[in-house]
Amino acid sequence: MASDSRFAVLIDADNVSVKYIKIILDEISKDGIATYKRIYGDWTNPSLISWKSTLLDNSIIPIQQYSYTTGKNSTDSAMIIDAMDILYSGRVEGFCLVSSDSDFTRLAARLRESGMTVIGMGESKTPNSFIAACNKFKYLDILSAADEEEPEEAAAPKAEPVKKAAQPKKAAPKAAKKPKEEPKAEKEKPAETKKQQEKAIEEPRTSLRTIRRSLRTIVRENSDEDNWMMVSQVGNLLDKRYPDFDVRNFGFSKLTPFLESLDLFEIKDLKKDGNSYAQKYVRLK
């Protein structure tokens, strides 16, 4: 896809947190230009006040949609109507639908039927029906967690001297200190369980086991006479089979290191098909 492809970014404020806005705009910039940036919600609702400064800073147009009755989400209808209006205007080549709601499944399918590229974004709780209806789907909570890990690693060395300075205080021979150490150990256990729960939530819907099986099949069926296949072709076929596939879901920034970690392939730089420069190729071990 051309880097100047025009996208309409439509955000469901009822199902997306304001903390994801930078990730949303950064991700869509990799596929094209966001010519429409609209967000839908009932802006009289106090829970959406946190969006105000973010919308101004990122030039996102808020679309007001009152909730006519309780228990009904009228925001979805407004977003769907706008999407169809933009489609018929012929001014975009793709749509970015940002929501974790399965109500947009039919909309994504209809846009793809019209030749549009549809990129979905939402949290890991997004129903599989909506994910499958998109050309690509990106998990915002996983990408956000990956961004937060970097500053934590940088802050780790600063935490060490603090612990060393605290050692002489603990060394004082007082009987009262023993019962104080026990609750500290108890507090660490719940912290560990919370991290485990967060990791479980962040696991991508398409599991690593599924990806491994598909990779074996893809390379076996599409390799050349020497059993080699270009890494870029492998990535393209994975994207088509699994809209939510992203190497960042598994802690990698590029496809080649991810493939190396699986220990399934030989990976080499080869010149094939008359190319003057070498490209990455893989074949099954």
Side-chain angles (χ1 to χ4, degrees):
M1 179 184 295
S3 60
D4 58 351
S5 295
R6 298 167 297 177
F7 277 82
V9 180
L10 308 181
I11 305 171
D12 179 7
D14 295 332
N15 285 286
V16 176
S17 172
V18 66
K19 67 180 180 179
Y20 296 135
I21 193 62
K22 185 179 183 300
I23 295 174
I24 293 168
L25 297 179
D26 287 350
E27 289 299 314
I28 200 62
S29 67
K30 298 176 182 178
D31 293 276
I33 301 170
T35 54
Y36 289 84
K37 292 187 286 185
R38 297 181 181 178
I39 185 167
Y40 301 79
D42 182 359
W43 302 103
T44 62
N45 189 333
S47 64
L48 298 181
I49 290 177
S50 59
W51 278 97
K52 182 177 179 181
S53 60
T54 303
L55 300 184
L56 292 172
D57 293 341
N58 294 280
S59 187
I60 301 173
I61 299 174
I63 306 298
Q64 171 63 31
Q65 182 60 46
Y66 291 103
S67 299
Y68 299 119
T69 58
T70 56
K72 297 288 184 179
N73 193 349
S74 55
T75 300
D76 294 359
S77 300
M79 187 167 157
I80 291 169
I81 292 170
D82 266 14
M84 298 310 294
D85 286 343
I86 295 170
L87 170 65
Y88 293 132
S89 73
R91 296 175 181 172
V92 297
E93 287 76 46
F95 285 79
C96 176
L97 305 179
V98 186
S99 179
S100 300
D101 194 342
S102 62
D103 289 348
F104 296 106
T105 300
R106 184 68 188 99
L107 173 61
R110 177 65 181 83
L111 294 173
R112 288 187 66 181
E113 289 172 0
S114 298
M116 295 288 106
T117 297
V118 180
I119 298 175
M121 297 187 192
E123 294 185 329
S124 300
K125 63 183 180 182
T126 305
N128 192 51
S129 58
F130 179 39
I131 296 172
C134 301
N135 294 94
K136 294 181 185 178
F137 191 89
K138 303 186 180 185
Y139 296 114
L140 296 174
D141 48 345
I142 294 178
L143 297 179
S144 177
D147 288 344
E148 290 174 359
E149 285 179 2
E150 294 182 1
E152 286 177 4
E153 292 175 0
K158 294 181 181 179
E160 291 179 0
V162 175
K163 291 180 180 179
K164 291 178 182 177
Q167 286 178 359
K169 292 181 181 179
K170 292 181 180 179
K174 290 183 181 181
K177 288 189 175 181
K178 291 183 179 179
K180 286 181 181 179
E181 291 177 357
E182 292 177 359
K184 287 181 181 178
E186 291 175 0
K187 289 179 181 178
E188 290 176 358
K189 291 180 181 178
E192 291 176 358
T193 56
K194 284 181 181 179
K195 289 181 180 179
Q196 291 174 354
Q197 291 174 356
E198 289 175 0
K199 287 181 179 179
I201 294 172
E202 293 169 4
E203 287 180 359
R205 183 175 297 275
T206 302
S207 67
L208 181 60
R209 183 178 181 183
T210 302
I211 296 297
R212 286 175 63 93
R213 287 179 177 175
S214 292
L215 280 170
R216 288 179 180 275
T217 304
I218 287 171
V219 176
R220 187 182 299 114
E221 294 179 352
N222 298 278
S223 57
D224 60 19
E225 57 185 9
D226 297 322
N227 299 320
W228 290 103
M229 183 177 179
M230 287 179 61
V231 169
S232 58
Q233 292 177 338
V234 174
N236 289 336
L237 289 175
L238 274 178
D239 287 339
K240 290 178 181 178
R241 290 194 182 192
Y242 306 104
D244 64 338
F245 172 72
D246 191 323
V247 293
R248 292 172 296 179
N249 293 345
F250 304 99
F252 293 86
S253 59
K254 294 184 179 180
L255 180 60
T256 301
F258 170 71
L259 295 176
E260 290 174 344
S261 71
L262 301 178
D263 197 29
L264 295 174
F265 309 104
E266 295 178 48
I267 303 179
K268 289 185 179 180
D269 291 326
L270 298 173
K271 292 182 180 180
K272 283 181 172 286
D273 301 326
N275 290 332
S276 58
Y277 55 91
Q279 292 180 315
K280 292 286 184 183
Y281 280 78
V282 297
R283 71 177 177 186
L284 290 168
K285 288 185 176 179

